[in-house]
Amino acid sequence: MSGVKRPTSANARLKSLLNQSDNRICADCGAPDPKWASANIGVFICLKCCGVHRSLGTHISKVLSVALDEWSDGEIDAMIEVGGNSAANAIYEAYIPEGYSKPGPDASHNDRRRFIRSKYELQEFLKPSLRITSGKSSTDSIRSSFSSKILDSFRLKPSEESTVQTTVIKSNLNPVWNEELMLSVPNNFGPVKLQVYDHDTFSADDIMGEAEIDIQPLITSAMAYGDPEMFGNMQIGKWLKSDDNALIEDSIINIIDGKVKQDVALKLQNVESGEIYIEIEWLALDQ
């Protein structure tokens, strides 16, 4: 996406990316010569903006020093896939309201914090009104072990206002739903909350496990490429496995036959064991 050549060493690859003209100024305030970066968002930032990014938490922005921190190949790959500050800002600053001023290098801390929170945490400037589709897993299997209990219900919940549920599969410890669930994603979206239940006819369903799906990497990748039908089959993004999420392995985002899709393998949380596999597809409202 960025056109950056891929030097062999991690430091050389990072330096090559930093030397892009758009990466020589802070993505958030325009200060020259940024020495910090948000590895998961994919932008280079200055020291003052770095402090605000850190205050948001690593689940929103994982800040690393370009010179002092050790970068993994995966983190550098993620930066390269975004394509630089201009590509990221084309997404995160797509719709800045008229009269709203982006902070400059000399902006106050409060103005800087207000803008950065609106841009990344609240995501107020993204292109609005898209939908997400959840379908069957590419592996076509769900593996679980919950003693003798039955795993038979599946719900995706991005918020209390938007909930969808599969049909109940009875008497099956390894259910395969093969269903498509549609979710409308609001402007101020959060993670999709997935919950697995033991259905009970006569009393409340018992929750058997849960996990959260960070859809930000999918949205960022989809918006960066625009119309996916213009591209061949290719990888365009990645949600990295970490101690802060339930991923079993890195989740790859691809354009496949003109559609943006992501395979997600999750280890269910708050339960002894259990895994679930889903495929997510990103759709524009006019599709």
Side-chain angles (χ1 to χ4, degrees):
M1 173 181 173
S2 65
V4 177
K5 295 182 180 179
R6 187 184 177 96
T8 54
S9 98
N11 288 340
R13 292 172 59 208
L14 188 61
K15 184 177 180 181
S16 177
L17 183 62
L18 182 59
N19 284 338
Q20 284 183 207
S21 58
D22 59 321
N23 294 335
R24 294 175 185 169
I25 61 172
C26 174
D28 297 331
C29 74
D33 198 24
K35 298 297 186 183
W36 298 83
S38 173
N40 56 325
I41 294 174
V43 294
F44 291 95
I45 53 179
C46 68
L47 179 62
K48 292 180 180 179
C49 289
C50 161
V52 179
H53 276 254
R54 287 190 186 279
S55 72
L56 300 179
T58 56
H59 63 293
I60 295 175
S61 182
K62 182 180 180 180
V63 177
L64 294 174
S65 166
V66 173
L68 302 178
D69 288 321
E70 184 175 344
W71 289 64
S72 69
D73 286 337
E75 289 165 341
I76 296 175
D77 287 341
M79 292 284 294
I80 291 174
E81 285 165 6
V82 171
N85 287 356
S86 292
N89 282 348
I91 298 167
Y92 288 101
E93 298 179 6
Y95 290 97
I96 294 181
E98 185 176 352
Y100 192 109
S101 298
K102 181 175 178 176
D106 297 324
S108 69
H109 176 77
N110 287 339
D111 287 345
R112 196 181 303 266
R113 176 174 173 77
R114 187 180 304 113
F115 175 78
I116 291 173
R117 285 196 68 231
S118 296
K119 181 177 177 180
Y120 301 112
E121 183 177 9
L122 303 178
Q123 297 174 344
E124 294 177 348
F125 312 138
L126 289 177
K127 296 178 182 178
S129 301
L130 294 173
R131 294 184 303 177
I132 190 168
T133 301
S134 175
K136 67 180 182 180
S137 76
S138 60
T139 57
D140 205 36
S141 67
I142 308 292
R143 297 198 300 273
S144 62
S145 60
F146 297 106
S147 301
S148 59
K149 294 185 179 180
I150 297 173
L151 176 68
D152 58 16
S153 183
F154 168 59
R155 302 176 183 179
L156 289 176
K157 301 204 302 183
S159 69
E160 290 303 319
E161 293 73 34
S162 181
T163 302
V164 292
Q165 180 177 339
T166 64
T167 57
V168 173
I169 298 178
K170 298 181 178 180
S171 303
N172 191 332
L173 286 173
N174 296 281
V176 179
W177 286 278
N178 287 355
E179 296 183 26
E180 288 190 354
L181 305 174
M182 301 292 292
L183 285 173
S184 179
V185 179
N187 288 337
N188 297 328
F189 62 86
V192 174
K193 297 181 181 180
L194 180 153
Q195 296 177 319
V196 179
Y197 285 82
D198 174 15
H199 178 68
D200 193 315
T201 304
F202 302 105
S203 63
D205 296 347
D206 298 322
I207 189 167
M208 304 296 294
E210 57 190 346
E212 290 192 348
I213 303 171
D214 181 3
I215 58 174
Q216 181 59 61
L218 176 67
I219 294 172
T220 300
S221 300
M223 290 185 172
Y225 277 80
D227 184 359
E229 294 184 355
M230 297 176 60
F231 300 90
N233 292 354
M234 59 189 296
Q235 178 181 328
I236 61 171
K238 183 186 297 184
W239 177 25
L240 298 176
K241 179 182 182 300
S242 75
D243 293 336
D244 298 324
N245 60 47
L247 284 176
I248 296 172
E249 59 190 9
D250 290 348
S251 177
I252 306 302
I253 303 162
N254 294 301
I255 293 178
I256 301 175
D257 298 331
K259 298 178 180 180
V260 178
K261 295 185 176 183
Q262 179 179 10
D263 289 324
V264 183
L266 297 165
K267 179 177 176 58
L268 294 175
Q269 306 297 294
N270 303 319
V271 71
E272 183 177 347
S273 63
E275 299 175 3
I276 191 162
Y277 299 83
I278 65 172
E279 179 186 87
I280 300 174
E281 181 181 343
W282 186 252
L283 299 172
L285 280 177
D286 58 357
Q287 289 185 264

PDB file of all heavy atoms in Angstrom, residues 9 18-20 29 33 42 48 61 77 86 109 134 162 177-178 193 205 214 217 233 235 249:
ATOM      1  N   SER A   9      16.606  -5.733   7.417  1.00  0.00           N
ATOM      2  CA  SER A   9      16.633  -5.561   8.860  1.00  0.00           C
ATOM      3  C   SER A   9      15.430  -4.762   9.325  1.00  0.00           C
ATOM      4  O   SER A   9      14.927  -3.884   8.630  1.00  0.00           O
ATOM      5  CB  SER A   9      17.933  -4.885   9.294  1.00  0.00           C
ATOM      6  OG  SER A   9      17.763  -3.524   9.486  1.00  0.00           O
ATOM      7  N   LEU A  18       9.876   5.754   8.066  1.00  0.00           N
ATOM      8  CA  LEU A  18       9.925   7.071   8.701  1.00  0.00           C
ATOM      9  C   LEU A  18      10.382   8.146   7.722  1.00  0.00           C
ATOM     10  O   LEU A  18       9.988   9.308   7.828  1.00  0.00           O
ATOM     11  CB  LEU A  18      10.845   7.028   9.921  1.00  0.00           C
ATOM     12  CG  LEU A  18      10.988   8.315  10.740  1.00  0.00           C
ATOM     13  CD1 LEU A  18       9.634   8.776  11.281  1.00  0.00           C
ATOM     14  CD2 LEU A  18      11.976   8.122  11.886  1.00  0.00           C
ATOM     15  N   ASN A  19      11.207   7.783   6.745  1.00  0.00           N
ATOM     16  CA  ASN A  19      11.746   8.751   5.792  1.00  0.00           C
ATOM     17  C   ASN A  19      10.744   9.169   4.721  1.00  0.00           C
ATOM     18  O   ASN A  19      11.038  10.064   3.914  1.00  0.00           O
ATOM     19  CB  ASN A  19      13.005   8.190   5.132  1.00  0.00           C
ATOM     20  CG  ASN A  19      14.209   8.254   6.052  1.00  0.00           C
ATOM     21  OD1 ASN A  19      14.244   9.054   6.989  1.00  0.00           O
ATOM     22  ND2 ASN A  19      15.197   7.418   5.795  1.00  0.00           N
ATOM     23  N   GLN A  20       9.574   8.523   4.684  1.00  0.00           N
ATOM     24  CA  GLN A  20       8.536   9.018   3.782  1.00  0.00           C
ATOM     25  C   GLN A  20       8.217  10.459   4.151  1.00  0.00           C
ATOM     26  O   GLN A  20       8.176  10.820   5.328  1.00  0.00           O
ATOM     27  CB  GLN A  20       7.249   8.185   3.923  1.00  0.00           C
ATOM     28  CG  GLN A  20       7.299   6.843   3.256  1.00  0.00           C
ATOM     29  CD  GLN A  20       5.970   6.120   3.382  1.00  0.00           C
ATOM     30  OE1 GLN A  20       5.936   4.900   3.359  1.00  0.00           O
ATOM     31  NE2 GLN A  20       4.870   6.842   3.524  1.00  0.00           N
ATOM     32  N   CYS A  29      -0.455  16.740  15.081  1.00  0.00           N
ATOM     33  CA  CYS A  29      -0.320  18.196  15.261  1.00  0.00           C
ATOM     34  C   CYS A  29       0.597  18.840  14.226  1.00  0.00           C
ATOM     35  O   CYS A  29       0.704  20.068  14.195  1.00  0.00           O
ATOM     36  CB  CYS A  29       0.177  18.518  16.668  1.00  0.00           C
ATOM     37  SG  CYS A  29       1.943  18.163  16.928  1.00  0.00           S
ATOM     38  N   ASP A  33       9.739  16.194  12.612  1.00  0.00           N
ATOM     39  CA  ASP A  33      10.671  15.190  13.117  1.00  0.00           C
ATOM     40  C   ASP A  33      10.111  14.324  14.255  1.00  0.00           C
ATOM     41  O   ASP A  33      10.689  14.266  15.340  1.00  0.00           O
ATOM     42  CB  ASP A  33      11.960  15.883  13.579  1.00  0.00           C
ATOM     43  CG  ASP A  33      13.122  14.900  13.708  1.00  0.00           C
ATOM     44  OD1 ASP A  33      13.082  13.847  13.035  1.00  0.00           O
ATOM     45  OD2 ASP A  33      14.044  15.181  14.491  1.00  0.00           O
ATOM     46  N   GLY A  42      -0.668   2.953  13.292  1.00  0.00           N
ATOM     47  CA  GLY A  42       0.149   3.094  12.090  1.00  0.00           C
ATOM     48  C   GLY A  42       0.566   4.509  11.775  1.00  0.00           C
ATOM     49  O   GLY A  42       0.732   4.865  10.607  1.00  0.00           O
ATOM     50  N   LYS A  48       4.881  15.315  22.439  1.00  0.00           N
ATOM     51  CA  LYS A  48       3.706  15.831  23.133  1.00  0.00           C
ATOM     52  C   LYS A  48       2.463  14.995  22.834  1.00  0.00           C
ATOM     53  O   LYS A  48       1.674  14.683  23.733  1.00  0.00           O
ATOM     54  CB  LYS A  48       3.475  17.291  22.756  1.00  0.00           C
ATOM     55  CG  LYS A  48       4.542  18.239  23.283  1.00  0.00           C
ATOM     56  CD  LYS A  48       4.245  19.679  22.873  1.00  0.00           C
ATOM     57  CE  LYS A  48       5.314  20.633  23.399  1.00  0.00           C
ATOM     58  NZ  LYS A  48       5.041  22.042  22.973  1.00  0.00           N
ATOM     59  N   SER A  61      -4.017   2.711  21.542  1.00  0.00           N
ATOM     60  CA  SER A  61      -2.783   3.129  20.875  1.00  0.00           C
ATOM     61  C   SER A  61      -1.570   2.549  21.604  1.00  0.00           C
ATOM     62  O   SER A  61      -1.335   2.865  22.773  1.00  0.00           O
ATOM     63  CB  SER A  61      -2.697   4.662  20.852  1.00  0.00           C
ATOM     64  OG  SER A  61      -1.536   5.094  20.170  1.00  0.00           O
ATOM     65  N   ASP A  77       5.368  -4.581  10.046  1.00  0.00           N
ATOM     66  CA  ASP A  77       4.474  -4.959   8.944  1.00  0.00           C
ATOM     67  C   ASP A  77       3.155  -4.204   9.041  1.00  0.00           C
ATOM     68  O   ASP A  77       2.606  -3.729   8.031  1.00  0.00           O
ATOM     69  CB  ASP A  77       4.201  -6.458   8.960  1.00  0.00           C
ATOM     70  CG  ASP A  77       5.391  -7.285   8.498  1.00  0.00           C
ATOM     71  OD1 ASP A  77       6.286  -6.712   7.838  1.00  0.00           O
ATOM     72  OD2 ASP A  77       5.429  -8.492   8.800  1.00  0.00           O
ATOM     73  N   SER A  86      -0.216  10.033   6.001  1.00  0.00           N
ATOM     74  CA  SER A  86      -1.233  10.547   5.082  1.00  0.00           C
ATOM     75  C   SER A  86      -2.355   9.540   4.878  1.00  0.00           C
ATOM     76  O   SER A  86      -3.541   9.904   4.885  1.00  0.00           O
ATOM     77  CB  SER A  86      -0.604  10.900   3.727  1.00  0.00           C
ATOM     78  OG  SER A  86       0.266  12.011   3.859  1.00  0.00           O
ATOM     79  N   HIS A 109      -2.081  21.255  25.958  1.00  0.00           N
ATOM     80  CA  HIS A 109      -2.287  19.834  26.227  1.00  0.00           C
ATOM     81  C   HIS A 109      -3.766  19.470  26.145  1.00  0.00           C
ATOM     82  O   HIS A 109      -4.126  18.419  25.594  1.00  0.00           O
ATOM     83  CB  HIS A 109      -1.742  19.474  27.608  1.00  0.00           C
ATOM     84  CG  HIS A 109      -1.995  18.046  27.991  1.00  0.00           C
ATOM     85  ND1 HIS A 109      -1.254  16.989  27.476  1.00  0.00           N
ATOM     86  CD2 HIS A 109      -2.932  17.478  28.824  1.00  0.00           C
ATOM     87  CE1 HIS A 109      -1.711  15.856  27.976  1.00  0.00           C
ATOM     88  NE2 HIS A 109      -2.727  16.124  28.793  1.00  0.00           N
ATOM     89  N   SER A 134     -21.008 -11.263   9.791  1.00  0.00           N
ATOM     90  CA  SER A 134     -20.307 -12.398  10.379  1.00  0.00           C
ATOM     91  C   SER A 134     -20.862 -13.666   9.784  1.00  0.00           C
ATOM     92  O   SER A 134     -22.073 -13.878   9.771  1.00  0.00           O
ATOM     93  CB  SER A 134     -20.488 -12.417  11.901  1.00  0.00           C
ATOM     94  OG  SER A 134     -19.903 -13.576  12.440  1.00  0.00           O
ATOM     95  N   SER A 162     -27.438  -3.156  19.838  1.00  0.00           N
ATOM     96  CA  SER A 162     -27.306  -3.966  18.628  1.00  0.00           C
ATOM     97  C   SER A 162     -26.868  -5.373  19.011  1.00  0.00           C
ATOM     98  O   SER A 162     -25.706  -5.599  19.347  1.00  0.00           O
ATOM     99  CB  SER A 162     -26.285  -3.318  17.684  1.00  0.00           C
ATOM    100  OG  SER A 162     -26.150  -4.073  16.504  1.00  0.00           O
ATOM    101  N   TRP A 177     -22.412 -23.535  13.361  1.00  0.00           N
ATOM    102  CA  TRP A 177     -23.631 -22.798  13.046  1.00  0.00           C
ATOM    103  C   TRP A 177     -23.794 -22.536  11.558  1.00  0.00           C
ATOM    104  O   TRP A 177     -24.903 -22.616  11.038  1.00  0.00           O
ATOM    105  CB  TRP A 177     -23.635 -21.481  13.822  1.00  0.00           C
ATOM    106  CG  TRP A 177     -23.926 -21.662  15.270  1.00  0.00           C
ATOM    107  CD1 TRP A 177     -25.149 -21.788  15.851  1.00  0.00           C
ATOM    108  CD2 TRP A 177     -22.970 -21.749  16.331  1.00  0.00           C
ATOM    109  NE1 TRP A 177     -25.026 -21.944  17.210  1.00  0.00           N
ATOM    110  CE2 TRP A 177     -23.694 -21.928  17.542  1.00  0.00           C
ATOM    111  CE3 TRP A 177     -21.582 -21.705  16.406  1.00  0.00           C
ATOM    112  CZ2 TRP A 177     -23.077 -22.053  18.777  1.00  0.00           C
ATOM    113  CZ3 TRP A 177     -20.965 -21.818  17.635  1.00  0.00           C
ATOM    114  CH2 TRP A 177     -21.708 -21.995  18.796  1.00  0.00           C
ATOM    115  N   ASN A 178     -22.720 -22.180  10.870  1.00  0.00           N
ATOM    116  CA  ASN A 178     -22.813 -21.865   9.442  1.00  0.00           C
ATOM    117  C   ASN A 178     -23.923 -20.857   9.155  1.00  0.00           C
ATOM    118  O   ASN A 178     -24.726 -21.036   8.244  1.00  0.00           O
ATOM    119  CB  ASN A 178     -23.032 -23.140   8.617  1.00  0.00           C
ATOM    120  CG  ASN A 178     -21.778 -23.978   8.527  1.00  0.00           C
ATOM    121  OD1 ASN A 178     -20.720 -23.579   8.997  1.00  0.00           O
ATOM    122  ND2 ASN A 178     -21.891 -25.150   7.927  1.00  0.00           N
ATOM    123  N   LYS A 193     -18.735  -7.870  21.074  1.00  0.00           N
ATOM    124  CA  LYS A 193     -18.708  -8.778  22.212  1.00  0.00           C
ATOM    125  C   LYS A 193     -19.405 -10.086  21.842  1.00  0.00           C
ATOM    126  O   LYS A 193     -20.582 -10.093  21.505  1.00  0.00           O
ATOM    127  CB  LYS A 193     -19.379  -8.136  23.421  1.00  0.00           C
ATOM    128  CG  LYS A 193     -18.658  -6.893  23.902  1.00  0.00           C
ATOM    129  CD  LYS A 193     -19.333  -6.280  25.118  1.00  0.00           C
ATOM    130  CE  LYS A 193     -18.594  -5.027  25.568  1.00  0.00           C
ATOM    131  NZ  LYS A 193     -19.245  -4.405  26.752  1.00  0.00           N
ATOM    132  N   ASP A 205     -30.636 -18.555  30.252  1.00  0.00           N
ATOM    133  CA  ASP A 205     -29.480 -19.217  29.640  1.00  0.00           C
ATOM    134  C   ASP A 205     -28.233 -18.966  30.481  1.00  0.00           C
ATOM    135  O   ASP A 205     -28.051 -17.889  31.053  1.00  0.00           O
ATOM    136  CB  ASP A 205     -29.241 -18.690  28.229  1.00  0.00           C
ATOM    137  CG  ASP A 205     -30.385 -19.003  27.283  1.00  0.00           C
ATOM    138  OD1 ASP A 205     -31.234 -19.831  27.654  1.00  0.00           O
ATOM    139  OD2 ASP A 205     -30.413 -18.425  26.187  1.00  0.00           O
ATOM    140  N   ASP A 214     -11.871  -6.948  18.239  1.00  0.00           N
ATOM    141  CA  ASP A 214     -11.504  -5.575  17.894  1.00  0.00           C
ATOM    142  C   ASP A 214     -11.678  -5.417  16.381  1.00  0.00           C
ATOM    143  O   ASP A 214     -10.908  -5.978  15.599  1.00  0.00           O
ATOM    144  CB  ASP A 214     -10.053  -5.310  18.299  1.00  0.00           C
ATOM    145  CG  ASP A 214      -9.604  -3.889  17.992  1.00  0.00           C
ATOM    146  OD1 ASP A 214     -10.446  -3.093  17.521  1.00  0.00           O
ATOM    147  OD2 ASP A 214      -8.413  -3.584  18.200  1.00  0.00           O
ATOM    148  N   PRO A 217      -8.920  -2.838  13.262  1.00  0.00           N
ATOM    149  CA  PRO A 217      -8.018  -3.158  12.146  1.00  0.00           C
ATOM    150  C   PRO A 217      -8.761  -3.449  10.842  1.00  0.00           C
ATOM    151  O   PRO A 217      -8.303  -3.066   9.761  1.00  0.00           O
ATOM    152  CB  PRO A 217      -7.278  -4.415  12.650  1.00  0.00           C
ATOM    153  CG  PRO A 217      -7.329  -4.306  14.133  1.00  0.00           C
ATOM    154  CD  PRO A 217      -8.677  -3.710  14.439  1.00  0.00           C
ATOM    155  N   ASN A 233      -6.820 -10.482  -5.228  1.00  0.00           N
ATOM    156  CA  ASN A 233      -6.736 -11.102  -3.911  1.00  0.00           C
ATOM    157  C   ASN A 233      -5.407 -10.742  -3.253  1.00  0.00           C
ATOM    158  O   ASN A 233      -4.344 -10.938  -3.841  1.00  0.00           O
ATOM    159  CB  ASN A 233      -6.873 -12.617  -4.027  1.00  0.00           C
ATOM    160  CG  ASN A 233      -8.267 -13.033  -4.465  1.00  0.00           C
ATOM    161  OD1 ASN A 233      -9.174 -12.204  -4.573  1.00  0.00           O
ATOM    162  ND2 ASN A 233      -8.450 -14.307  -4.721  1.00  0.00           N
ATOM    163  N   GLN A 235      -3.468  -9.626   0.927  1.00  0.00           N
ATOM    164  CA  GLN A 235      -3.562  -9.288   2.336  1.00  0.00           C
ATOM    165  C   GLN A 235      -3.456  -7.780   2.490  1.00  0.00           C
ATOM    166  O   GLN A 235      -2.584  -7.143   1.910  1.00  0.00           O
ATOM    167  CB  GLN A 235      -2.450  -9.959   3.141  1.00  0.00           C
ATOM    168  CG  GLN A 235      -2.466  -9.604   4.628  1.00  0.00           C
ATOM    169  CD  GLN A 235      -1.351 -10.266   5.406  1.00  0.00           C
ATOM    170  OE1 GLN A 235      -0.921 -11.361   5.082  1.00  0.00           O
ATOM    171  NE2 GLN A 235      -0.874  -9.580   6.446  1.00  0.00           N
ATOM    172  N   GLU A 249      -4.263 -16.827  17.257  1.00  0.00           N
ATOM    173  CA  GLU A 249      -3.177 -16.509  16.333  1.00  0.00           C
ATOM    174  C   GLU A 249      -3.498 -15.176  15.682  1.00  0.00           C
ATOM    175  O   GLU A 249      -4.624 -14.666  15.807  1.00  0.00           O
ATOM    176  CB  GLU A 249      -3.042 -17.606  15.270  1.00  0.00           C
ATOM    177  CG  GLU A 249      -4.322 -17.808  14.458  1.00  0.00           C
ATOM    178  CD  GLU A 249      -4.282 -19.029  13.581  1.00  0.00           C
ATOM    179  OE1 GLU A 249      -3.329 -19.818  13.716  1.00  0.00           O
ATOM    180  OE2 GLU A 249      -5.197 -19.200  12.756  1.00  0.00           O
TER     181      GLU A 249
END
